[in-house]
């Protein structure tokens, strides 16, 4: 009886500890995401040499674009990737359906980018809009290189 109480208390303690560590992991992950976002903002601001007026108009548009892009990727693209994991077991019709969903999601991303660029034309000169695409690619390469260097 005494051993049962001790085991119960130990299991309760372990489950609480495990849960707390999961929260710490999520917190650290969110901190890393925030850190990367801050680095990206600094990098793009520097590369585009934004004036204060341009920055005030640019960042709300950019942040909205990023959020919508993230939503499309999470909702649609992740869905068909998850479903296609067992692609050996898919029928041809199911595979065609997933392929159509993928194409639709990619088209939505393309249309979102076009709309974003159209909105930017009223805020930034064309040269800075072109620099933005290059800056985003350079930032991604830089981030990937930092990740590789840590490993």
């Amino acid at each position: 009886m005494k051993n049962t109480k001790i085991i119960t208390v130990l299991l309760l303690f372990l489950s609480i500890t495990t849960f707390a560590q999961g929260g710490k992991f999520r917190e650290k992950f969110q901190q890393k995401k925030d850190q990367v976002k801050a680095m990206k903002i600094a990098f793009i601001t520097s590369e585009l040499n934004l004036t204060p007026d341009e920055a005030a108009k640019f960042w709300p548009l950019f942040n909205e674009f990023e959020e919508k892009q993230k939503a499309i990727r999470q909702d649609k693209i992740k869905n068909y990737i998850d479903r296609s994991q067992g692609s050996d077991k898919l029928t041809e019709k199911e595979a065609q359906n997933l392929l159509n969903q993928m194409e639709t999601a990619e088209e939505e991303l393309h249309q979102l980018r076009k709309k974003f660029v159209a909105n930017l034309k009223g805020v930034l000169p064309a040269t800075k809009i072109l620099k933005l695409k290059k800056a985003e690619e350079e930032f991604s390469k830089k981030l990937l290189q930092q990740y590789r260097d840590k490993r």
Side-chain angles (χ1 to χ4, degrees):
M1 182 72 175
K2 190 174 186 180
N3 286 341
T4 307
K5 287 182 181 182
I6 292 173
I7 291 174
T8 304
V9 169
L10 283 174
L11 286 175
L12 181 63
F13 178 73
L14 285 173
S15 63
I16 290 171
T17 304
T18 303
F19 181 75
Q21 287 176 351
K24 287 179 185 177
F25 174 77
R26 282 188 293 274
E27 187 178 305
K28 282 186 178 185
F29 182 73
Q30 186 61 44
Q31 286 175 345
K32 288 288 185 187
K33 280 177 61 175
D34 292 343
Q35 185 180 24
V36 168
K37 186 172 182 171
M39 288 169 47
K40 185 174 186 177
I41 289 170
F43 187 81
I44 289 174
T45 300
S46 172
E47 290 295 306
L48 298 184
N49 196 21
L50 296 174
T51 66
D53 185 48
E54 288 173 337
K57 295 174 184 174
F58 168 77
W59 286 111
L61 291 173
F62 184 82
N63 291 335
E64 180 184 0
F65 168 71
E66 290 270 299
E67 286 301 315
K68 287 181 179 178
Q69 192 176 40
K70 179 182 172 185
I72 290 171
R73 285 193 173 121
Q74 282 181 338
D75 294 344
K76 299 193 175 157
I77 295 176
K78 185 181 181 307
N79 180 38
Y80 66 73
I81 288 174
D82 289 346
R83 289 181 51 203
S84 67
Q85 291 299 320
S87 59
D88 296 342
K89 298 175 185 173
L90 292 175
T91 66
E92 185 62 27
K93 187 175 182 178
E94 290 171 330
Q96 186 62 48
N97 187 23
L98 283 175
L99 186 59
N100 290 340
Q101 289 177 15
M102 181 180 71
E103 290 171 346
T104 300
E106 292 295 335
E107 181 61 29
E108 283 183 48
L109 286 170
H110 177 71
Q111 291 302 322
L112 180 64
R113 166 99 30 212
K114 283 177 69 172
K115 183 179 175 186
F116 174 60
V117 169
N119 289 339
L120 285 181
K121 287 179 181 177
V123 174
L124 298 176
T127 54
K128 287 188 179 183
I129 295 171
L130 291 173
K131 284 182 183 179
L132 172 62
K133 180 67 175 165
K134 185 178 179 195
E136 287 177 300
E137 290 172 3
E138 286 179 16
F139 180 78
S140 294
K141 287 179 187 176
K142 181 180 172 182
L143 196 62
L144 186 59
Q145 187 60 46
Q146 284 180 353
Y147 177 74
R148 286 181 182 154
D149 290 347
K150 281 187 176 181
R151 293 185 125 205

